[in-house]
Amino acid sequence: MISDPDYHVVCKWEELQLDDGEAQEDVQCLLEVEFDKIQKRYRAWLPDGWLPEECFYWIVGMADGHLGFTSFVLRFIGDKEYSDPDSQLKVCMKFLLSGVLSGINPLHTLDLLYCQILLDIPANDLPATMCILGYLIYTLLLVSVNEIVEFLDIDPGKFHCLFEWLHSVLHVPLTDAVDTHISFYHSSFSKFLRDPIHSSRFWVDEEVVTHDIPFQFLHLLEDHGKVFT
């Protein structure tokens, strides 16, 4: 319709502020609904009023109208793989409070939480996990669990063991849905991994990843007895 020369298009400019009243209300509403769901899911050991009011408003304040940050905090606290929202809340509050005391913004606090998630991965599993994350970030070749396990020649069960700590940052298909695509819940996690300043020891170097891919292909060709044509 707007490409029709007889249709007059009227445009106007409106600046949207993340920290305006409406965005803050959206954050508070989202937190209220999702914390209520978490409490009901774990009602056996989380009583009504489990979440301290001061924690709730700390999170509202730190989110500063940023729904992406809010969604990550909720996934982190309610992570079903941990099944311990009270402990997850304490970890989250530790980083939020440290962010306030350091005068950093919520996205920098997010970096600290991303680091904590990666630190929780067992040391023996971390290299393989970081390798797969590198492929997800820097290539378009590997988009599903099935493609990844075939390319790296690992067992699907092992793959899911590697990623059981990352369900708050990645959408990882269930074991019976290996053809489903893996995706980042929010681009801030992939940006974090690509930035050596933010990710420090967890930096995923593009040159290393792109250097490893041809050697992995050669390894697969050798193992499966294929030849170049």
Side-chain angles (χ1 to χ4, degrees):
M1 182 172 66
I2 62 175
S3 65
D4 188 331
D6 296 326
Y7 183 80
H8 181 60
V9 179
V10 177
C11 299
K12 67 176 183 177
W13 172 272
E14 182 176 347
E15 186 175 356
L16 301 177
Q17 299 289 344
L18 274 178
D19 59 352
D20 68 9
E22 186 175 353
Q24 296 281 13
E25 289 175 8
D26 288 343
V27 164
Q28 185 165 333
C29 181
L30 177 62
L31 288 170
E32 287 172 350
V33 170
E34 294 303 319
F35 275 129
D36 184 59
K37 289 180 181 178
I38 291 172
Q39 189 277 323
K40 288 178 179 177
R41 187 187 310 144
Y42 299 100
R43 62 168 60 91
W45 64 87
L46 290 182
D48 290 340
W50 148 74
L51 180 70
E53 188 173 295
E54 61 270 22
C55 291
F56 178 85
Y57 286 106
W58 267 111
I59 296 172
V60 171
M62 284 300 295
D64 200 27
H66 196 296
L67 285 172
F69 175 85
T70 307
S71 298
F72 166 72
V73 167
L74 287 166
R75 286 195 304 271
F76 181 82
I77 294 173
D79 194 332
K80 294 180 181 178
E81 295 300 315
Y82 286 87
S83 292
D84 190 355
D86 195 51
S87 293
Q88 291 291 93
L89 173 65
K90 291 174 182 175
V91 171
C92 185
M93 290 306 300
K94 170 187 172 183
F95 287 104
L96 292 181
L97 290 170
S98 68
V100 171
L101 294 175
S102 303
I104 62 178
N105 68 39
L107 295 184
H108 287 132
T109 307
L110 203 57
D111 290 345
L112 297 177
L113 285 167
Y114 287 153
C115 281
Q116 183 59 49
I117 289 171
L118 294 170
L119 283 169
D120 285 342
I121 298 173
N124 291 338
D125 292 338
L126 185 61
T129 305
M130 297 305 295
C131 175
I132 296 172
L133 285 172
Y135 290 149
L136 289 172
I137 293 169
Y138 291 120
T139 80
L140 298 176
L141 300 173
L142 309 171
V143 292
S144 72
V145 174
N146 192 50
E147 289 168 334
I148 290 174
V149 298
E150 286 186 359
F151 184 71
L152 296 178
D153 197 22
I154 60 175
D155 182 82
K158 176 61 176 176
F159 170 88
H160 284 278
C161 287
L162 293 175
F163 275 74
E164 66 179 342
W165 309 99
L166 297 175
H167 287 267
S168 59
V169 289
L170 287 177
H171 168 65
V172 182
L174 300 174
T175 52
D176 58 353
V178 293
D179 290 327
T180 306
H181 291 194
I182 301 170
S183 58
F184 291 89
Y185 280 119
H186 197 271
S187 61
S188 60
F189 183 54
S190 62
K191 289 178 181 177
F192 162 81
L193 293 170
R194 293 197 301 265
D195 189 328
I197 296 175
H198 288 271
S199 54
S200 186
R201 59 174 287 197
F202 298 112
W203 175 45
V204 178
D205 187 340
E206 182 176 9
E207 288 188 9
V208 172
V209 175
T210 54
H211 177 270
D212 286 347
I213 289 174
F215 288 96
Q216 184 61 30
F217 272 119
L218 289 172
H219 175 70
L220 283 176
L221 290 168
E222 182 180 21
D223 281 356
H224 293 281
K226 297 179 181 179
V227 294
F228 288 107
T229 58

